[in-house]
Amino acid sequence: QRKFPDPDPTACAAHRWRFAKKIKPVPSLKGYINVGGIKPNGQTPKFYKEAQIARVEDSDEWTILLDGRPIVTEDRYRLHVPNATIASAIAMEWDMQGEYVKPFVMPMMSLAATAIDVDRQKIIAKLLSYMDTDSICYRVKSPLGLARMQKKFLDPIIKYFREEHGLEIYTTEGINPITQPAETKLKLAQFIEDTNKWELAVLKSVAEVGYSTLLAIAVVHRKMTIKTAYNAAMAERLYQVRKWGEVKGPYGHGIELEYPRLHIASGITFLDMLDSDYAPFGKVHDPSKGKDSAKNKLSKNKK
């Protein structure tokens, strides 16, 4: 398997988020809240009263505070996000928790933590491994209704890569295996390498629920709406529901249909917020009203 060299981090100043500074985890958890201690099954009692946001000192980044204490990720890195809009959205997720903290209904928080903690090269290698089994490229002849839905929802993605990037994307019927052209793989690999860490987190999330790297790249290229991305990812399941009806109840279609919608919608919204320059809509922390100064807690990461 060919290894792709790391791009030169000084090649383009516009990609300032692509290559983050080498940071270290906090040496001590004193004064911080480590989200790694929160149970993923939603059984951790709510342990705070209020979520706020604050600008990181001497930086354009923002962070989230729970009762004045900054959050660190599971790997003990400070939760610093690129703008106040994303910080406000994450703070709202924390504020909306009820008696228990439920991480599975905090998609913005999950994306931000993934972007910070993730092993970039492992994720890129995993995404590249999907290319010959990408769900967008596997079609059916029958039933005719599903074949029509696939053509309607999936063909625009193939068309985007063919017409705007000149890539040849092979498709097949049934489960006959295909191998995409080497030139196509190289170009798609470069698309993934060109993402910043926030975009890579979205790419990973969408690819996993849609079983498609092509779909995820199109989303990160801002070529898909929530509706078109969801329809492409869920074409077969949507056909089954339309034909046979939706099964209600705990063993029905609810989670199967809504879990991908949650991740696709939150991913596209996260990208919109990444591109935004809105004023913060979350509660901004005022250090003068607390016992602890935010100055020390929000100091920038040191090498």
Side-chain angles (χ1 to χ4, degrees):
Q1 183 179 3
R2 177 172 177 177
K3 292 184 178 180
F4 298 95
D6 291 335
D8 179 4
T10 64
C12 182
H15 293 286
R16 64 184 186 278
W17 287 107
R18 190 190 306 174
F19 298 92
K21 291 181 180 179
K22 185 67 176 178
I23 58 174
K24 295 180 180 180
V26 294
S28 170
L29 292 177
K30 185 177 180 180
Y32 294 92
I33 292 176
N34 185 352
V35 297
I38 298 174
K39 298 177 182 178
N41 62 1
Q43 295 301 307
T44 301
K46 188 175 180 180
F47 52 88
Y48 58 92
K49 294 180 180 179
E50 184 180 49
Q52 297 175 314
I53 64 172
R55 184 188 288 272
V56 177
E57 185 180 13
D58 299 327
S59 171
D60 291 333
E61 296 177 311
W62 288 71
T63 192
I64 297 90
L65 310 174
L66 302 180
D67 293 341
R69 297 170 63 193
I71 297 173
V72 294
T73 67
E74 185 173 355
D75 289 346
R76 297 174 59 165
Y77 292 100
R78 295 174 176 89
L79 188 73
H80 292 175
V81 295
N83 60 42
T85 310
I86 293 175
S88 297
I90 295 172
M92 286 184 65
E93 288 183 340
W94 285 99
D95 268 337
M96 291 173 65
Q97 300 303 301
E99 183 180 357
Y100 294 93
V101 179
K102 299 179 179 180
F104 47 83
V105 290
M106 302 174 70
M108 297 293 178
M109 175 64 200
S110 177
L111 287 169
T114 297
I116 294 168
D117 279 352
V118 75
D119 184 324
R120 181 178 179 88
Q121 292 308 315
K122 284 184 178 180
I123 294 302
I124 291 175
K126 185 176 181 181
L127 291 168
L128 294 179
S129 72
Y130 294 158
M131 289 185 180
D132 290 332
T133 57
D134 197 295
S135 65
I136 298 298
C137 301
Y138 286 79
R139 309 298 180 85
V140 300
K141 277 188 176 180
S142 63
L144 186 58
L146 177 55
R148 287 172 175 169
M149 286 184 69
Q150 287 183 329
K151 182 176 179 61
K152 178 180 178 180
F153 296 148
L154 308 185
D155 280 5
I157 299 173
I158 303 294
K159 183 179 179 180
Y160 162 66
F161 287 104
R162 285 177 176 170
E163 293 188 356
E164 295 200 25
H165 297 287
L167 299 183
E168 183 62 40
I169 306 291
Y170 295 156
T171 61
T172 187
E173 291 180 343
I175 58 173
N176 296 320
I178 53 174
T179 300
Q180 298 296 346
E183 184 179 351
T184 295
K185 290 183 178 180
L186 284 171
K187 187 64 176 178
L188 293 175
Q190 191 59 55
F191 288 154
I192 299 172
E193 289 280 7
D194 285 344
T195 60
N196 59 48
K197 64 180 180 181
W198 312 105
E199 292 170 332
L200 185 62
V202 173
L203 206 158
K204 172 181 179 292
S205 178
V206 174
E208 288 177 346
V209 298
Y211 305 101
S212 172
T213 298
L214 290 172
L215 169 63
I217 292 174
V219 165
V220 169
H221 284 186
R222 281 65 164 179
K223 297 298 180 179
M224 308 290 288
T225 65
I226 293 172
K227 183 177 180 179
T228 57
Y230 179 75
N231 287 341
M234 302 291 290
E236 185 171 349
R237 278 167 280 187
L238 291 174
Y239 170 78
Q240 297 294 339
V241 169
R242 291 181 185 181
K243 183 174 178 63
W244 304 109
E246 182 176 350
V247 178
K248 304 290 185 180
Y251 302 102
H253 288 108
I255 296 296
E256 183 182 4
L257 294 176
E258 296 307 320
Y259 181 80
R261 191 195 305 274
L262 173 68
H263 284 269
I264 290 170
S266 60
I268 292 176
T269 302
F270 193 94
L271 292 175
D272 288 342
M273 291 181 172
L274 192 63
D275 298 335
S276 74
D277 190 23
Y278 303 127
F281 55 86
K283 300 174 184 176
V284 180
H285 177 68
D286 182 356
S288 66
K289 294 184 178 180
K291 294 181 180 180
D292 300 319
S293 170
K295 183 175 182 179
N296 294 327
K297 292 181 180 179
L298 304 182
S299 60
K300 294 183 67 178
N301 294 323
K302 304 292 185 182
K303 283 190 176 182

